């Protein structure tokens, strides 16, 4: 993406735009220079409503601190849009770009744990995300250790949903109010609205992408994607470990009441992935190897007994 909503060199509330980093769900992400000379990240929410900037400045999103959520320190006006200023740490790369590197299973599982933990923290603070799609997830890959998944625009969805729920109307520029392939079927056609169950459906789509390389409804047009989501008619999971596949299928239930909560997912993942970090595939391999050894011993004993 070569052309952004703002130009390099422009300054907003003392923040000088240095570089366009990419898309982030509803808008675009920029590297900026802070008034004190340091660097930060600016997420421009490409949605306009007369109350949106003030509502985001007042929102509780400043208070949600979690390693897997982008921490918003300030909300400033950028043209007629809100700009969310966050820390200057390693922002990483978008999820889709990270997946092109064919990361190993254990790294994908680390991202799964991070996304589940992020959503649990957000829901625990009484907020919903509303725009869980690949552009909203960025992956930082440290030189040593597990990759860190971070969700951008935490809490923005809840503010937009409240504005829309009171009859407000939104206009967009350069962003999206949600991809049909990652949006819960009960909210299709209702852009900007969200709640925890719909977040969980979108998470299921993201986890499907994480393991299979494409989303469950990526090959469908918007109308067909909605129909397929309502019928739970998506391509069979083939690359995901059994426990991950079970979680994904539960998240992709058409009935929002049948989906697990984020807190339930945290417990399920803790049970499925031991604290020592042994991945599901490794556990399966150990089980298969143990079965093979047992079978060989039984065969040897039978031959010897003869």
């Amino acid at each position: 993406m070569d052309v952004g909503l703002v130009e390099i060199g422009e300054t907003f509330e003392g923040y000088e735009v240095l570089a366009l980093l990419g898309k982030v769900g509803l808008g675009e992400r920029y590297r900026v220079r802070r008034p004190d000379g340091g660097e930060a990240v600016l997420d421009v929410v490409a949605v306009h409503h007369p109350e949106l900037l003030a509502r985001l400045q007042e929102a509780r999103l400043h208070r949600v601190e979690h390693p897997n959520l982008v921490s918003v320190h300030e909300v400033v006006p950028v043209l007629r849009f809100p700009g969310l200023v966050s820390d200057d740490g390693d922002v990483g790369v978008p999820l889709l770009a990270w997946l092109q590197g064919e990361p190993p299973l254990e790294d994908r599982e680390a991202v799964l744990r991070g996304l589940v933990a992020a959503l649990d923290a957000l829901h625990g603070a009484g907020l919903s995300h509303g725009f869980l799609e690949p552009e909203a997830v960025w992956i930082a890959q440290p030189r040593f250790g597990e990759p860190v998944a971070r969700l951008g625009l935490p809490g923005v969805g809840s503010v937009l949903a409240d504005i829309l729920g009171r009859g407000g109307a939104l206009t967009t520029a350069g962003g999206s109010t949600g991809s049909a392939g990652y949006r819960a079927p009960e909210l299709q056609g209702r852009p900007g609205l969200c709640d925890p169950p719909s977040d969980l459906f979108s998470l299921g789509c993201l986890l499907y992408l994480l393991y299979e390389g494409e989303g469950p409804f990526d090959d469908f047009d918007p109308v067909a994607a909605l129909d397929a989501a309502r019928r739970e008619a998506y391509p069979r999971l083939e690359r995901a470990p059994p426990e991950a596949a079970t979680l994904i299928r539960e998240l992709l239930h058409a009935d929002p009441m049948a989906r697990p909560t984020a807190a339930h997912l945290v417990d399920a993942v803790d049970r499925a992935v031991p604290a020592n970090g042994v991945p599901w595939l490794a556990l399966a391999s150990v089980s298969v190897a143990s079965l093979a050894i047992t079978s060989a011993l039984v065969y040897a004993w039978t031959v010897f007994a003869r």
Side-chain angles (χ1 to χ4, degrees):
M1 179 171 45
D2 299 320
V3 179
L5 293 169
V6 300
E7 295 183 3
I8 305 304
E10 286 190 276
T11 300
F12 303 95
E13 298 292 308
Y15 293 96
E16 180 188 359
V17 179
L18 301 178
L20 174 64
L21 299 177
K23 291 189 68 63
V24 57
L26 295 170
E28 296 172 350
R29 173 165 286 180
Y30 295 85
R31 173 75 66 182
V32 296
R33 180 176 289 113
R34 299 193 309 256
D36 64 3
E39 293 189 358
V41 174
L42 176 71
D43 289 335
V44 179
V45 182
V47 178
H48 176 67
H49 183 275
E51 299 177 15
L52 183 56
L53 175 62
R55 290 289 304 276
L56 288 176
Q57 289 174 330
E58 297 169 357
R60 287 181 293 166
L61 57 88
H62 294 69
R63 306 175 194 172
V64 184
E65 296 289 339
H66 192 275
N68 300 108
L69 289 172
V70 172
S71 298
V72 178
H73 303 310
E74 188 177 6
V75 181
V76 299
V78 177
L79 302 178
R80 57 179 186 153
F81 307 117
L84 280 58
V85 181
S86 57
D87 58 50
D88 59 352
D90 180 12
V91 297
V93 298
L95 175 62
L96 289 176
W98 183 75
L99 287 173
Q100 289 177 359
E102 293 294 328
L105 179 62
E106 54 268 28
D107 281 359
R108 296 174 196 250
E109 290 176 345
V111 169
L112 177 150
R113 291 193 297 269
L115 292 177
V116 168
L119 208 54
D120 180 50
L122 201 60
H123 289 179
L127 301 171
S128 299
H129 193 283
F131 302 96
L132 283 175
E133 50 192 66
E135 289 82 5
V137 181
W138 285 55
I139 310 296
Q141 181 74 62
R143 191 169 182 182
F144 302 101
E146 296 183 334
V148 178
R150 301 185 78 193
L151 279 181
L153 307 181
V156 173
S158 291
V159 174
L160 292 177
D162 185 64
I163 290 174
L164 288 170
R166 294 186 291 109
L170 305 174
T171 56
T172 64
S176 164
T177 53
S179 169
Y182 291 82
R183 195 151 172 80
E186 68 272 15
L187 294 186
Q188 292 282 15
R190 303 167 65 192
L193 294 180
C194 62
D195 56 20
S198 65
D199 275 351
L200 271 298
F201 182 91
S202 299
L203 177 64
C205 294
L206 282 176
L207 298 184
Y208 189 109
L209 167 70
L210 181 65
Y211 287 102
E212 302 298 321
E214 60 179 16
F217 309 107
D218 280 1
D219 293 334
F220 299 86
D221 62 47
V223 174
L226 172 57
D227 178 66
R230 285 174 172 168
R231 295 186 293 108
E232 300 180 14
Y234 47 84
R236 179 180 176 183
L237 287 150
E238 296 182 346
R239 300 175 61 185
E243 292 85 353
T246 297
L247 293 180
I248 293 169
R249 285 192 291 268
E250 291 178 353
L251 290 168
L252 293 181
H253 277 305
D255 178 4
M257 300 303 295
R259 298 170 202 151
T261 64
H264 170 82
L265 282 181
V266 170
D267 292 338
V269 170
D270 285 345
R271 291 194 300 270
V273 183
N276 61 11
V278 178
W280 291 322
L281 184 58
L283 291 175
S285 299
V286 169
S287 298
V288 171
S290 299
L291 180 60
I293 293 172
T294 301
S295 299
L297 290 174
V298 170
Y299 175 76
W301 181 85
T302 304
V303 171
F304 179 78
R306 292 177 180 175

